[in-house]
Structure formats: C-alpha cells, structure tokens
Amino acid sequence: METLTELIQNSGLANLDWGNLVMFVIAGVLIYLAITKNYEPLLLIPIGFGTILANLPLAEMGAYDNGIIALIYKSGIKTELLPPIIFLGVGVLTDFRPLLGRPITFMLGAAAQLGIFVAALGAAYLLGFTYKEAAAIGIIGGADGPTSIFLASQLAPHLLGPIAVAAYSYMSLVPIIQPPIIRMFTSKKEREIDMPQARPVSKTAVILFPIVTGIIASLAIPSAAPLIGLLMFGNLLRECGVTERLRKTAGGALIDIVTLFLGLAVGATMAAEHFLTWQTIMILVLGAFAFAFSTAGGLVFAKIINLFLPGTKKINPCIGAAGVSAVPMAARVVQKFVSDQTNGRVNPLMPAMGPNVAGVIGSAVAAGIFLSLLT
Amino acid sequence: MDSSNLLVICAIAFVAVFVLLVILAVIMRAIIALFPQADSVEDAALYAAITAVAQANYPGTKITKIEEIQ
C-alpha cells in the first residue's frame, strides 16, 4: 500500500497544477490554429506540442530541465546554432530578383523595420523592461521568427517562449493586421498606381548579390554575420546552378529537421512558471504594436519616395507594407488588397516581393546591431 | 554601450539599417549596370506556335518580330 501511495505521489497527475492545465489549453489553441486555420503549421505544431511536453510535471521535458529537450535547447538555441541554419534554408528558398530588379525597394525593407525600434522604446520606457529585454521584444516587429529567436536567446532567454509565440502568431495574422493599416495610409489613387515590370537581372548579378551582400553586411555588422552570412550562402547555393544536391538538402531536409528541433525547443521554454506572467501579455501587446508600426513605416516611406519620383516612375505605396519580412505572406497580402481594391486591374505581387525580401535582410541587420550595442 | 540611452541606440540602429541597405542598393544597381541582362533569345517554342497560328489564319505570312507589351 505504501508503495502504491508512493507511486501515485510520484506521478505527474498528482503534481499537476492549474498553470499546467492553462498551458495545455494554450498549446491546444496553437495546434488548433495550425491545423484548422493553417497558421504557420510547420512551427505552431512543434511549438504547441513542445508546450505540452514542458508542462508535464516530473517528466523533465522542459527546455530548462535536464531532459532531451533541454539538450536540444542548450545545444541548438543557446549556442545560436539553429536559427542561422533556418536562414540557410530561407536563402535557398528566396528569389531576390524582384529586389535586384528594383533596388529602390531596399529602402522600403529598411523603413519597415520602424516597428522594431518603436516597440523596443515602448517596452523600456513605458513598461519597464530592461534594455536587453526591450530589444528582444522589439525584434518581433521584424516579422521574422528565426531572427526573433536568435536575438531573444542572446539578450533575454527567459522571454524566448512568449517572444517566439508572438512573432509566429502575428506573422500568421498578417492578412488580418495589415489591410486596415494599408487602407488607413493610402488613398484610392495611390492604390491604383500600376508599376511596370522590373528590369530583368542577369545571372552574373544574381550570383554576385549574395557574395557582395554577405561580405558588406558582415563587415559592417559582424554580429549579424551568422544570419546574413548563412542567408546569403543559401542564396548562392540556389543561384550558382552547380550545387543542386546541396540546394535540395538545405532547402528541404535540413530546414525541415532544424524546424522540428527549433519549434519543439521553443515550445518547451513555455513552462507555466515562465509563461503565465504579466510580461507575456505585455509582450503580445507590444508585438502587435511593433507589427503595426513596421507596416506603417514601409507605407509612409513609400509615399515619401514618391514625392521625388516622376509620374511614370512612381511606386504603389502599398508595397511598402510588404517590407515586414514575413515572406511571402506580406507580399501576398499586398497583392490581394490592391487587386481587390482595383477590381483586378493592378496586381503588384512581384513589386511587393522586393521590399519583402529586403525586410529579411533589414531585420537580421537590426538584430545584429542590437547584439553589438547591448552585449 | 550598455549604459547608453536606448533612444540613442534605437536611433543609431535604425539609421544604420537604412544606410547599410542603401549602400547595398547602390552597389547592386552598379553591378546590374555592369552586368546587364543580355537580350533574351527568342523562345523557339513560342515563335513556332505564333508562326503556326499566323500561317493558319494568313497563309504565306512571315513573322519578323515578336514583341511583348507589358
């Protein structure tokens, strides 16, 4: 009888508290959204299940425990290994031609990082977060999951779970968040600006781009090199045309394997005692502000650029909203919005892809600068 | 730099992101000018298809130029 009592007392069931149950519900919501709404399923499912594992009492399956997930967390996230490998795959999967064909859209990708800095300032001065925490929260505005994880794991590892969940949740909510902001900042006339096709780009230029960008960005901001360097290496594998096997692996099996481990380990940081805090709610609110300001930043800067462009060269300011780096969703949102507003006459998908991929570079650079200045 | 005002850090960071991406834009513009896309070779299949249709409708016609208007 004593043995049976001891067995019961040592079971997870006997040690379950309300916090674990709340986290099971949150995990269920993430998994539900991934399956039924198709919101970032490749990440929300591993994150959701990682959350369940982390909240099983006595199972030692949390990122901060001593089990297998902790091993993945310590060796994959704390060491900065996994996010750059995701960037390698992103580089393979990204076509930078729309950006190269219209280099002016580099600037829209920069302007759309505004939300990062607005959210960081709000977090520090309005809500009392430390500078490092504020910067890690602000990067949510970059709309880039791996970058958010990369920076949070360095500056505020205790906030990694909420920051990652906010980043990926808002990325999946781009189709809901962005259209009202685009509508607010653009006129009917501006939405009807039809942009000509970008100039064609030679294979030589496409191959030189990752090499030149990798060198220049890494020389300027060395702490951004893990992200930018591997992003550009992946893009070179894509464009050089002689590394088909490496391209397929980096853009397929490798990114999938890393996504599994990354999602699971991030989810496992969401043990109840770390996640169920006021800080998490504040991070979610700040994340929404970050996204809104980033979208607005891109839109407003596109309008400013138009002040200096002749009539035939004007850009459709809506593509500025795609400067947040949720690739390719932000560009698709802009395309759908403009097309709907103009009854299908104007379709700026390819022009919007320019700032969209520039935003990936912009958010990685912003993360690197924060690392340089705050560590 | 840890003790610096976050406002200053954010301002520097935002300007730095801008400057770096502008530099990249200028360099890439120069590279594109240096290595322009050669005029694309006419798509043989497209040429054959258009020729076939034109011949069917207007026998004896010769296609001398195909131009795409965006």
Side-chain angles (χ1 to χ4, degrees):
Chain A
M1 191 64 195
E2 202 175 306
T3 310
L4 187 63
T5 306
E6 193 179 341
L7 183 66
I8 290 169
Q9 281 174 343
N10 287 335
S11 73
L13 213 55
N15 289 276
L16 209 60
D17 64 25
W18 71 269
N20 301 130
L21 296 174
V22 171
M23 292 312 295
F24 288 157
V25 172
I26 290 170
V29 169
L30 294 178
I31 292 169
Y32 170 81
L33 290 174
I35 293 170
T36 61
K37 304 283 183 186
N38 209 27
Y39 285 174
E40 298 284 342
L42 299 183
L43 274 148
L44 290 189
I45 297 243
I47 288 175
F49 204 80
T51 305
I52 292 172
L53 293 176
N55 286 282
L56 297 170
L58 309 181
E60 294 288 328
M61 291 292 272
Y64 308 119
D65 298 330
N66 295 304
I68 184 174
I69 308 274
L71 182 67
I72 296 169
Y73 175 75
K74 284 168 189 158
S75 55
I77 292 180
K78 285 210 78 146
T79 57
E80 303 177 31
L81 175 67
L82 297 183
I85 295 178
I86 294 269
F87 259 60
L88 172 68
V90 170
V92 169
L93 299 171
T94 304
D95 182 1
F96 284 99
R97 282 175 183 79
L99 174 64
L100 301 178
R102 203 176 264 113
I104 200 169
T105 56
F106 267 101
M107 288 195 272
L108 298 179
Q113 307 312 313
L114 176 70
I116 292 175
F117 307 107
V118 171
L121 291 172
Y125 294 124
L126 297 179
L127 300 175
F129 285 95
T130 66
Y131 285 2
K132 287 183 179 181
E133 289 170 340
I137 293 165
I139 206 70
I140 294 169
D144 193 318
T147 304
S148 300
I149 292 166
F150 178 79
L151 192 65
S153 65
Q154 300 309 302
L155 297 183
H158 55 291
L159 299 180
L160 180 60
I163 286 171
V165 167
Y168 283 113
S169 301
Y170 290 129
M171 278 164 64
S172 60
L173 291 172
V174 161
I176 295 164
I177 296 171
Q178 286 202 319
I181 300 169
I182 301 173
R183 190 175 289 109
M184 191 191 305
F185 280 89
T186 56
S187 66
K188 190 170 184 294
K189 191 180 170 192
E190 285 173 326
R191 288 172 217 148
E192 288 178 347
I193 295 174
D194 196 6
M195 297 169 70
Q197 210 173 33
R199 72 174 64 81
V201 183
S202 68
K203 189 169 171 63
T204 309
V206 167
I207 289 171
L208 283 173
F209 169 72
I211 297 168
V212 169
T213 303
I215 291 170
I216 289 174
S218 300
L219 285 177
I221 318 286
S223 48
L227 295 177
I228 297 285
L230 286 186
L231 177 75
M232 292 302 143
F233 173 52
N235 193 245
L236 183 61
L237 293 180
R238 172 197 174 96
E239 300 296 355
C240 68
V242 290
T243 53
E244 191 59 16
R245 280 166 48 195
L246 299 183
R247 185 187 68 79
K248 275 187 179 163
T249 301
L254 183 62
I255 195 172
D256 289 345
I257 291 165
V258 172
T259 300
L260 275 173
F261 288 140
L262 190 75
L264 210 52
V266 166
T269 63
M270 291 163 59
E273 63 270 25
H274 298 290
F275 194 83
L276 296 178
T277 64
W278 283 110
Q279 282 189 323
T280 298
I281 293 167
M282 288 192 278
I283 288 167
L284 292 171
V285 171
L286 284 163
F289 273 98
F291 258 68
F293 274 95
S294 285
T295 303
L299 289 164
V300 170
F301 194 76
K303 290 162 77 94
I304 292 170
I305 288 176
N306 272 350
L307 296 176
F308 302 95
L309 292 175
T312 54
K313 299 263 184 184
K314 288 201 188 300
I315 57 177
N316 188 319
C318 296
I319 70 167
V324 300
S325 57
V327 179
M329 196 184 291
R332 284 186 190 151
V333 167
V334 169
Q335 155 65 22
K336 185 177 185 314
F337 176 84
V338 174
S339 186
D340 288 350
Q341 292 287 313
T342 60
N343 297 320
R345 285 195 312 280
V346 182
N347 296 286
L349 179 62
M350 290 319 286
M353 282 304 295
N356 206 186
V357 295
V360 178
I361 300 169
S363 59
V365 169
I369 294 169
F370 274 146
L371 270 180
S372 293
L373 299 180
L374 292 169
T375 50
Chain B
M1 201 71 190
D2 227 357
S3 59
S4 299
N5 187 324
L6 188 66
L7 184 61
V8 174
I9 290 172
C10 284
I12 290 170
F14 193 38
V15 170
V17 170
F18 241 102
V19 168
L20 185 58
L21 289 194
V22 168
I23 289 169
L24 285 174
V26 170
I27 290 171
M28 288 319 300
R29 185 70 192 84
I31 286 173
I32 289 161
L34 280 171
F35 303 100
Q37 166 79 317
D39 287 342
S40 59
V41 181
E42 205 123 67
D43 187 327
L46 180 69
Y47 180 82
I50 291 172
T51 303
V53 172
Q55 288 288 356
N57 288 292
Y58 308 102
T61 310
K62 188 182 177 198
I63 304 290
T64 55
K65 185 183 177 189
I66 297 171
E67 188 179 346
E68 185 180 0
I69 298 169
Q70 300 293 347

